[in-house]
Amino acid sequence: MGNWLQSIQNKEKRPIARLISRIENNDPKKTQFLEALYPLTGKAYLIGVTGSPGAGKSSLIDGLISYLRSLQLTVGIIAVDPTSPFTGGAILGDRVRMTQHALDPGVFIRSMGSRGSLGGLSRATKEAVRVLDAAGFDVIIIETVGVGQAELDIMHIADSVALVLNPGAGDVVQVFKAGIMEIADLFVVNKADLAGAPRLIAEIEELLDLVKHSKEWLPPIVRTIGTKQEGIQQWWEQLLQHQQFLTSTGQWEQKRQQYFRQEVRELIEDYLRQQLEEELNSPAYQEELIQVAERKKLPTQVAKEWMNRVLGKTGGGSE
């Protein structure tokens, strides 16, 4: 047990990659692995980077990795891709632009599929972040491809969320007004050398002006040109300012506590759902349904009886 754990702490890439794969595949020892890792977690700075496809997120992250390494910080990247409905694997695969860091011992990059998770981040993704945290990476970047109401999960795991926009994506702000703008702790206007950049920035500022009185933290707007690596330092400095804001106001721990509450709740719901599915496939349950159809039992009566049966098996039932 100790050997593999030491390898993780030494940031050895192959053991880390193998462990993440075992977690993805629900290895029988998965819980044992996570229990051993858990006391080592909680130290990394978790950054979420999200935005529409084509916004240039990979180029920006590539530049941020280089800059962070120049500061002697170690970096882990989890790139969440849409999942193929045929193979269950990540469609886009490893990010081509980030491969220059593949041989750097201070950088670990992993692409993972969302696996149909409505929140955009599967449980395996969150557990992979935990592995990198336990490995001692200073900064962990979680990149999601595509953005919308289903991608709000990123705000629950990351300490700071950067929403990347670009002038060439049409009326982006209108698309994001429905709520996705609210997850951003800072806005990154990439491809800021394009003609539509001033208008896009003005639209974001207009939206922020509407909410500035109700927010303790007003998200800054950072201008970048990812292909030229311009604005990367300013982006990092704004991220650090947000991190400082979280710690000075006590929201750092509060935000993580909210995440833990949600995670435990999701696990309880999944466990109960699994137990319930097993019960509802039994012949006895089918007989109960016949009684409901024959008007001999109320649906609510059957539902309560079978829920009590499930809770009784899990140790939570009461007469």
Side-chain angles (χ1 to χ4, degrees):
M1 189 76 170
N3 290 337
W4 73 265
L5 189 57
Q6 190 60 53
S7 297
I8 299 299
Q9 289 181 277
N10 291 340
K11 298 182 180 63
E12 295 178 25
K13 293 188 178 184
R14 286 187 179 179
I16 290 174
R18 282 197 299 265
L19 180 57
I20 291 175
S21 293
R22 293 180 75 171
I23 287 172
E24 272 193 294
N25 296 323
N26 279 316
D27 187 283
K29 292 185 178 180
K30 170 181 162 178
T31 301
Q32 187 180 355
F33 291 136
L34 292 173
E35 283 178 354
L37 292 171
Y38 195 68
L40 304 173
T41 62
K43 301 180 181 69
Y45 179 27
L46 310 180
I47 300 171
V49 180
T50 190
S52 58
K57 297 184 296 297
S58 294
S59 294
L60 283 174
I61 292 172
D62 180 61
L64 184 59
I65 295 169
S66 297
Y67 182 69
L68 293 176
R69 292 300 290 139
S70 74
L71 300 177
Q72 304 302 309
L73 294 172
T74 54
V75 190
I77 301 95
I78 299 291
V80 183
D81 292 330
T83 300
S84 165
F86 303 105
T87 66
I91 292 175
L92 299 182
D94 290 326
R95 299 305 200 273
V96 175
R97 293 183 186 88
M98 299 182 199
T99 53
Q100 63 166 310
H101 304 288
L103 299 178
D104 185 340
V107 178
F108 180 89
I109 301 170
R110 176 70 172 234
S111 283
M112 300 182 72
S114 59
R115 301 200 171 199
S117 171
L118 290 178
L121 299 177
S122 68
R123 175 157 299 117
T125 303
K126 298 170 188 176
E127 290 165 345
V129 169
R130 198 157 279 164
V131 171
L132 298 185
D133 192 356
F137 286 96
D138 299 310
V139 178
I140 299 173
I141 300 168
I142 306 107
E143 178 198 357
T144 64
V145 174
V147 75
Q149 290 298 307
E151 291 287 329
L152 297 177
D153 216 17
I154 190 69
M155 69 183 291
H156 297 299
I157 185 172
D159 299 311
S160 302
V161 177
L163 178 56
V164 181
L165 306 173
N166 74 77
D171 197 0
V172 180
V173 177
Q174 291 294 329
V175 175
F176 292 134
K177 273 186 180 178
I180 198 66
M181 299 288 281
E182 296 174 13
I183 77 169
D185 296 306
L186 66 155
F187 297 97
V188 180
V189 174
N190 194 29
K191 307 178 184 179
D193 52 341
L194 295 181
R199 179 186 170 188
L200 175 59
I201 292 167
E203 288 178 328
I204 298 170
E205 288 174 340
E206 185 180 339
L207 283 176
L208 291 175
D209 193 54
L210 296 174
V211 299
K212 66 181 180 182
H213 301 297
S214 60
K215 285 197 171 191
E216 289 183 75
W217 170 264
L218 192 66
I221 303 169
V222 181
R223 298 162 177 81
T224 60
I225 305 173
T227 54
K228 298 179 182 178
Q229 306 296 290
E230 292 182 11
I232 302 296
Q233 180 178 343
Q234 290 79 7
W235 182 21
W236 175 243
E237 288 171 354
Q238 292 294 343
L239 284 167
L240 287 181
Q241 284 194 27
H242 183 248
Q243 184 188 39
Q244 185 179 10
F245 163 78
L246 292 175
T247 52
S248 63
T249 59
Q251 292 186 40
W252 181 277
E253 284 303 320
Q254 182 183 346
K255 194 169 186 179
R256 293 196 171 191
Q257 286 296 329
Q258 288 174 348
Y259 169 68
F260 294 140
R261 278 197 294 272
Q262 179 181 342
E263 183 181 22
V264 171
R265 178 171 180 164
E266 287 176 359
L267 289 167
I268 291 171
E269 289 174 350
D270 286 350
Y271 181 64
L272 288 175
R273 191 178 297 113
Q274 180 183 348
Q275 297 296 316
L276 189 60
E277 283 296 324
E278 291 175 7
E279 291 289 344
L280 299 189
N281 286 326
S282 68
Y285 176 71
Q286 302 306 318
E287 288 294 325
E288 294 274 87
L289 288 182
I290 292 172
Q291 293 192 48
V292 172
E294 292 175 349
R295 303 298 193 273
K296 293 178 180 178
K297 275 193 172 184
L298 282 168
T300 51
Q301 182 184 358
V302 173
K304 286 179 182 178
E305 287 174 2
W306 283 84
M307 181 53 71
N308 283 334
R309 183 179 297 202
V310 170
L311 291 175
K313 281 195 172 184
T314 60
S318 58
E319 293 299 327

